[in-house]
Amino acid sequence: MQLYLPKPIKRTKLRTLLGKKYYRTKRYLHWYFYTNSFAKELQTQKKLPFLVKNHQSMLLRPLMGVDMKLQEQKITNLKLATDKMNGLIIKPNQTFSFWFLVGKPTKRRGFLEGLVLEKGKAAVGVGGGLCQLANLLHWILLHSPLEITERWRHSYDVFPDARRKVPFGSGATVAYNYIDLQFKNTTSQDFQLNFEINKTHLKGELLTTIDLKEKYEIKENKHFFRQEDWGGYSRHNELERILTDKETKQEIFREIIAQNHALLMYEPFISNP
């Protein structure tokens, strides 16, 4: 496992702007030429019969130095985004793309300002908060046979753990449109995504047409903090996926699916008073 993280490189605003334009244009071209390969069909009236995995996350979580109004406005953003993928059917050989479905989050489309992360710091941006949906989606996908073809991990750990229910590094970050979350249905059966937002939680589930014979479990290994030579702190871990037979309870195989390394934006060794 990688132990050393170099000090972050500071890029100019022009370099950042040109980079975004290049990668966004590249993504638009890919969508244009391969549009038929992406899942688009929404089936909201009928759910597929078998549950693969469900999960929920809190909508409002107090974060140090963050205006709660941004989290409240995030709920509007999440509702607009889930409307675009609620009931989505992913057929064999089809690809799911977060941004292909959600589209560009703009004020004109009803998106509000929310919390976004820029270079490891909390900032304000239209459409902020959609990473919560990407995190939930990625955690569900890890418990399925669907193949994750694009996932970007968070380079920074901005806030200390607070009521965290999943291992560090099990989420996914998204930024329109060049940092996407994509997965492909490489099986022979259909899958369906469904979402619900109530007063306290964002809920999601993955359903399918034929009950799976296998069960997926995610285990965290080698979790530790470290101070780098240049003075900053970093956090590391390893995620392992274990596949077992539902009927016999016997292990089929296990694999390392991610090695996470992130720079901390807080002091990790302060005791809780």
Side-chain angles (χ1 to χ4, degrees):
M1 178 181 286
Q2 177 185 353
L3 295 180
Y4 175 75
L5 287 184
K7 192 173 182 177
I9 300 173
K10 292 184 178 180
R11 292 188 169 90
T12 65
K13 291 183 179 180
L14 179 61
R15 167 65 176 80
T16 302
L17 178 64
L18 292 176
K20 285 182 179 180
K21 284 186 176 294
Y22 171 79
Y23 287 109
R24 281 178 176 171
T25 301
K26 188 176 179 181
R27 182 76 71 183
Y28 286 134
L29 290 173
H30 182 78
W31 285 348
Y32 178 80
F33 287 108
Y34 296 96
T35 184
N36 292 331
S37 65
F38 291 102
K40 312 180 192 72
E41 178 189 347
L42 301 182
Q43 182 178 295
T44 57
Q45 301 300 319
K46 183 180 179 182
K47 290 187 177 183
L48 297 186
F50 296 100
L51 176 67
V52 178
K53 177 66 176 178
N54 58 8
H55 188 64
Q56 65 178 20
S57 59
M58 291 178 58
L59 289 171
L60 302 176
R61 187 161 64 99
L63 299 172
M64 184 174 61
V66 176
D67 187 351
M68 284 301 294
K69 183 181 178 181
L70 296 177
Q71 293 209 56
E72 292 165 0
Q73 293 182 166
K74 170 191 69 176
I75 298 174
T76 296
N77 298 335
L78 289 171
K79 288 179 178 178
L80 290 172
T82 53
D83 282 348
K84 295 295 183 180
M85 59 180 74
N86 196 30
L88 181 73
I89 300 294
I90 308 101
K91 297 179 179 179
N93 296 318
Q94 284 189 333
T95 295
F96 167 95
S97 165
F98 186 95
W99 289 122
F100 182 85
L101 293 167
V102 174
K104 190 173 184 178
T106 63
K107 288 184 179 180
R108 186 175 181 179
R109 297 181 61 217
F111 287 89
L112 303 176
E113 289 186 334
L115 175 67
V116 297
L117 300 179
E118 293 182 357
K119 299 178 182 179
K121 296 181 179 180
V124 177
V126 175
L130 293 182
C131 278
Q132 181 173 351
L133 177 56
N135 289 337
L136 182 141
L137 259 173
H138 184 253
W139 180 247
I140 289 175
L141 293 172
L142 291 178
H143 294 80
S144 80
L146 298 171
E147 180 184 351
I148 300 172
T149 54
E150 181 177 347
R151 173 252 178 176
W152 298 79
R153 61 179 174 84
H154 296 269
S155 300
Y156 296 90
D157 191 16
V158 181
F159 302 106
D161 292 355
R163 302 181 185 179
R164 185 193 291 271
K165 294 184 178 180
V166 299
F168 159 70
S170 57
T173 185
V174 289
Y176 187 83
N177 62 0
Y178 59 101
I179 298 179
D180 201 5
L181 174 62
Q182 294 191 11
F183 64 86
K184 185 175 182 180
N185 183 1
T186 55
T187 75
S188 59
Q189 61 195 77
D190 291 354
F191 287 81
Q192 183 185 40
L193 287 172
N194 289 294
F195 300 94
E196 176 190 346
I197 297 177
N198 60 25
K199 293 182 179 180
T200 58
H201 287 82
L202 166 66
K203 299 182 178 182
E205 63 180 4
L206 179 67
L207 306 172
T208 189
T209 51
I210 304 172
D211 196 15
L212 300 180
K213 296 180 180 180
E214 303 84 15
K215 177 184 177 182
Y216 295 82
E217 178 187 359
I218 307 301
K219 180 182 178 183
E220 180 183 42
N221 302 320
K222 302 178 182 178
H223 180 217
F224 64 94
F225 296 90
R226 158 190 173 89
Q227 186 171 21
E228 302 296 338
D229 295 338
W230 48 271
Y233 289 99
S234 61
R235 187 176 188 177
H236 310 260
N237 78 348
E238 187 176 81
L239 297 182
E240 183 179 31
R241 182 160 61 174
I242 305 167
L243 185 64
T244 57
D245 187 288
K246 286 183 179 179
E247 185 175 348
T248 65
K249 310 298 182 183
Q250 291 187 342
E251 182 179 312
I252 300 174
F253 75 89
R254 60 176 61 205
E255 59 178 341
I256 302 300
I257 56 173
Q259 290 185 338
N260 297 297
H261 316 282
L263 295 174
L264 267 65
M265 305 307 292
Y266 57 90
E267 293 284 343
F269 303 120
I270 298 177
S271 60
N272 189 8

